[in-house]
Amino acid sequence: MLEKLVINGRKQLCGEVKIHGAKNAALPILCACVLCDEKVVLKNCPKLSDIDNTIEILEYLGCKVTREEDRVEILNSGYLKDNIPKNLMSKMRSSIVFLGALTAKLGRANLFLPGGCELGPRPVDIHIKSFEKLNVCIVEQRGKIACSTDKIKGASINLPFPSVGATENIMLLTALSDTKTLIHNAAREPEIIELQNFLNKCGADISGAGGNCIVINGVKKLHGCYHSILPDRIEASTYMSFAAATGSTISIKNICNEHIEPVVFAFREAGCEMNFVKNELKISSPKKLNRIAHIKTLVYPGFPTDSGMPIIAMSAIANGTTIFEETIFQNRYNAIGALNKMGANIKIYDRIAVVEGVENLYGADVEATDLRGGAALVCAGLMAYGTTNITQLHHIDRGYENIEYNLSLLGADIKREKE
Ligand code: UD1
């Protein structure tokens, strides 16, 4: 069913919003469940289409999955398939981490490559080269990838770039082995620490996540566990942008303060006041935002690429010029055309976006083109005069649970309608 979000802008937000579990932590943990011989119970698992797709893959592979609200139980039947059909694989790129999990468990995996996506080409060369160093034979042919190994052999791997997905894939490949593996220049994102914590609860022996070098001492068996997924730092930063864009004061609950740290400077520079108390942030925003001189996306603990687009949207009506530099993904700026249609003045020079603050934005009919770009359009709709209709909501539904419900509770005039 085609749906759209209809937003009548210029409403101040107030009250509180509770952040859900992190999509990017839940996805690799769900994949990791194929390694476990016993039931895994996950709490705080967000209700998102990416999670639904991953559950569909687990069921196809042979796991029994039950879900009630934010609780998901996964039981590996013991008879796993070694392949994932194209239609399931192509829905999201993160399914590539099934490669490591299935190869570890079965000694083989036959997957379709997830291909490029809205954000650009997104190759998997780092994953593949690392697997080869670990004695996995890889054959790539016509969009398919086949992995096989008689035995995973530990190695010291130096990643040329601290890829999140490659780090996760290597952790999953080597957690269940009888060998030791080191990942140098590993990704340091909180979701990597979360995967380590989850696997260790299941009996793995992994250390170092959050630092440059992760050490995996393979174990013979992984059992089940109970695990609550950490809060979504990107969802939190998106609600911070919504508050900033509308000159509002709101409380954002269920956050991990430390994980929000990399975006705090940008909101401070924009003129917002932030008070962190335990797992809650109160953000108060001025009527008119200041420009943010320069934001550059970097790997963690740098400024996260996923937080960028909503901040670009809020900067569209700031006092002065914000310079935004994207270093991780080529096509992050897909939504800028729609923001300009709403009256923004943003110019793109390769990886740099120059955001000249304007007085106001005006509602328009716009299409979400990717997940975070979609969130930027919601942000723009909240601050624009008149009505904004946003279509292609499947992009937004990949990463934001109940977005219109949460925003309505905060006082926004937003509803989901049939197109
Ligand atoms: C994950 C997140 C995504 C986030 C990104 C960066 C999930 C499900 N997704 O994506 O939301 O924006 O981290 O924080 O967790 N690259 C290569 N070769 C490879 C692998 C990556 O060239 O083999 C490049 C990518 O094209 C991209 C950059 O490295 O330009 C970052 O990719 P990576 O860190 O792997 O991100 P993902 O795991 O795909």
Side-chain angles (χ1 to χ4, degrees), residues 188-191 233-234 236-237 240 255-269 274 276 281 292 294-308 311 324:
R188 296 167 61 189
E189 271 68 4
E191 293 76 19
R233 61 196 168 100
I234 307 299
S237 73
M240 289 164 77
I255 58 164
C256 180
N257 300 2
E258 187 193 336
H259 299 164
I260 305 295
E261 203 54 47
V263 301
V264 161
F265 84 93
F267 288 92
R268 287 235 159 87
E269 211 176 315
M274 278 160 291
F276 289 91
L281 161 67
I292 307 161
H294 183 206
I295 305 177
K296 183 175 180 177
T297 62
L298 289 167
V299 296
Y300 194 84
F303 185 93
T305 172
D306 288 345
S307 298
I311 291 188
F324 192 94

Side-chain angles (χ1 to χ4, degrees), residues 23-25 27-28 93-94 119 121-128 161-166 168 187 189 191 233 305-306 327-330 332 372:
K23 166 179 88 75
N24 289 350
L27 292 174
R93 195 190 137 80
S94 59
L119 301 181
R122 300 185 82 168
V124 288
D125 53 316
I126 302 174
H127 304 235
I128 289 173
F161 174 85
S163 154
V164 173
E168 292 167 347
E189 271 68 4
E191 293 76 19
R233 61 196 168 100
T305 172
D306 288 345
T327 69
I328 312 287
F329 289 113
Q330 268 175 37
R332 206 29 122 180
R372 308 302 170 189

Side-chain angles (χ1 to χ4, degrees), residues 288-292 315-322 356-359:
K288 183 87 182 160
L289 293 173
N290 301 325
R291 64 100 181 235
I292 307 161
S315 304
I317 54 163
N319 222 339
T321 305
T322 296
E356 297 274 2
V358 296
E359 276 311 307

Side-chain angles (χ1 to χ4, degrees), residues 84-86 89-90 110-115 124 128 138-146:
I84 301 175
K86 191 174 186 175
M89 201 59 201
S90 58
N110 291 293
L111 266 54
F112 282 87
L113 280 166
V124 288
I128 289 173
I138 304 218
V139 181
E140 259 188 280
Q141 223 173 21
R142 292 192 295 273
K144 279 183 171 175
I145 182 163

